[in-house]
Amino acid sequence: MSSQPIAHIDLAALQHNFMRVKQLAPNSKVMSVIKANAYGHGMVEAAHALQESDAFAVARLSEGVRLRQAGITHPIVLLEGVHCVADVHTAADNQLSLVFNNHRQISLLDGITLSTPLTFCWVMIETGMHRLGFSEADIEQVVHSLSSNANISGELGLMSHFANSDLIDDIRNQQQLAVLNQCAQRLDLATSMANSAAILSYPDSYGDWVRPGIMLYGSSPFESQTALELDLKPVMKLKSVMTAIKTVEPGDQVGYGGDWVADKTTQIGIVSIGYGDGYSRHLSNQGQVLIHNTVVNVLGRVSMDMIAIDLTNCSNVEIGDEVILWGVDTLSIDHIAKRAGTISYELLCQLTERVPRVYKHG
Ligand SMILES: *Cc1c(COP(=O)(O)O)cnc(C)c1O
């Protein structure tokens, strides 16, 4: 057995979660969001498993190019759009679709002729996030100018992004949606607004295209509901191995800085996982792991390559035993993220390349 951390990726679970999107929003097309290496799961493998998507969304040009190089033929939307003329050409050469977020991105098209016109492009409208997008007042002019641009063919869509979709029934979500829908109706454009939290809680927001991200990977976007309750299956199970066992005596300090001190004779285990793998250092004295189906605590600071765990409640443990860091119903990524003071998105994205991804196909 391998004695290093491995992220087991269950592509059948990914497909199950995709089907949840289809069940919830049967009348919308699905733009599966696989940016940031599919939230750490492996972008190309995720794209293959999510064949039934109507399109994919990534953040950046380099991500879209990588998908094309891997042979993915679906429409691919670059959510950030592009920021220089050379990148517009690369996008067109690779049949990548753009989101236009500001006037400068539109002016990149001035005076150039692309190898093939851009298709399936989107205009981002500012509705409340105050990050990207055109103001409501500018939308009509922007849409007209893009519609008549020779470098763009086909229909444009109107997109926006919720700032508070994890807060169910928050009035701000209704306000944002109202702005989008009014503009889309006036200009007769397709809409896209709903991310995972909205797909799971706000059917009125579905529009023509939904954009699921985190729910595909089996994590709950809500504080108050678990993935299990939402019928989402964890896609990544992060496992490692116990590489040492020792007994510490009262007063012994464990790990850097002595942040954990034994108050009684205690059996501890050393597990091969650390912040060098992306296991957050914020889990120092906060993390929990699963060993022999028992949830036990992380003791002291997370090191680069290892952690210490409390074996007090475990019997018959041995060096080489498997340890689960997250990704089962009894130890979800959402639980671990909460203990690290962050969200699952961050833990998943920051898992480093040192951790091999091993795929189980559907
Ligand atoms: C990342 C992203 C999504 C997906 O959000 P989730 O909360 O992961 O579902 C959707 N839309 C845009 C614009 C995004 O940047």
Side-chain angles (χ1 to χ4, degrees), residues 31-35 39 57-59 79-80 99 124 129 131-132 159-162 165 192-199 210-217 221 345:
M31 188 187 295
S32 294
V33 180
I34 54 173
K35 60 191 178 187
Y39 296 43
V58 293
L79 294 169
E80 275 186 15
V99 176
M124 180 69 81
M129 180 73 101
R131 205 175 56 167
L132 296 174
M159 177 183 289
S160 198
H161 194 45
F162 285 118
S165 55
S192 177
M193 185 80 184
N195 60 352
S196 298
I199 292 166
V210 293
R211 304 192 306 270
I214 197 70
M215 71 179 287
L216 293 174
Y217 308 104
Y345 299 71

Side-chain angles (χ1 to χ4, degrees), residues 88-162:
V88 181
H89 285 290
T90 307
D93 294 347
N94 286 279
Q95 278 97 53
L96 300 173
S97 304
L98 300 184
V99 176
F100 289 91
N101 289 291
N102 57 52
H103 290 286
R104 192 172 165 280
Q105 288 183 317
I106 296 177
S107 68
L108 298 174
L109 299 173
D110 293 349
I112 66 170
T113 303
L114 295 171
S115 57
T116 46
L118 299 163
T119 57
F120 192 56
C121 287
W122 293 82
V123 175
M124 180 69 81
I125 177 170
E126 165 56 48
T127 59
M129 180 73 101
H130 297 118
R131 205 175 56 167
L132 296 174
F134 295 94
S135 70
E136 200 182 342
D138 284 355
I139 275 297
E140 186 154 358
Q141 179 263 321
V142 164
V143 167
H144 285 147
S145 102
L146 285 173
S147 307
S148 58
N149 193 306
N151 285 315
I152 292 185
S153 87
E155 302 287 301
L156 289 168
L158 196 62
M159 177 183 289
S160 198
H161 194 45
F162 285 118

Side-chain angles (χ1 to χ4, degrees), residues 34-102:
I34 54 173
K35 60 191 178 187
N37 202 26
Y39 296 43
H41 292 72
M43 185 169 59
V44 172
E45 291 81 359
H48 283 299
L50 295 171
Q51 286 282 354
E52 287 180 48
S53 306
D54 299 288
F56 294 117
V58 293
R60 307 214 175 113
L61 178 68
S62 56
E63 297 175 320
V65 170
R66 218 180 109 208
L67 287 172
R68 286 288 181 248
Q69 285 168 349
I72 304 298
T73 56
H74 289 65
I76 298 173
V77 177
L78 309 185
L79 294 169
E80 275 186 15
V82 292
H83 309 285
C84 68
V85 173
D87 286 358
V88 181
H89 285 290
T90 307
D93 294 347
N94 286 279
Q95 278 97 53
L96 300 173
S97 304
L98 300 184
V99 176
F100 289 91
N101 289 291
N102 57 52

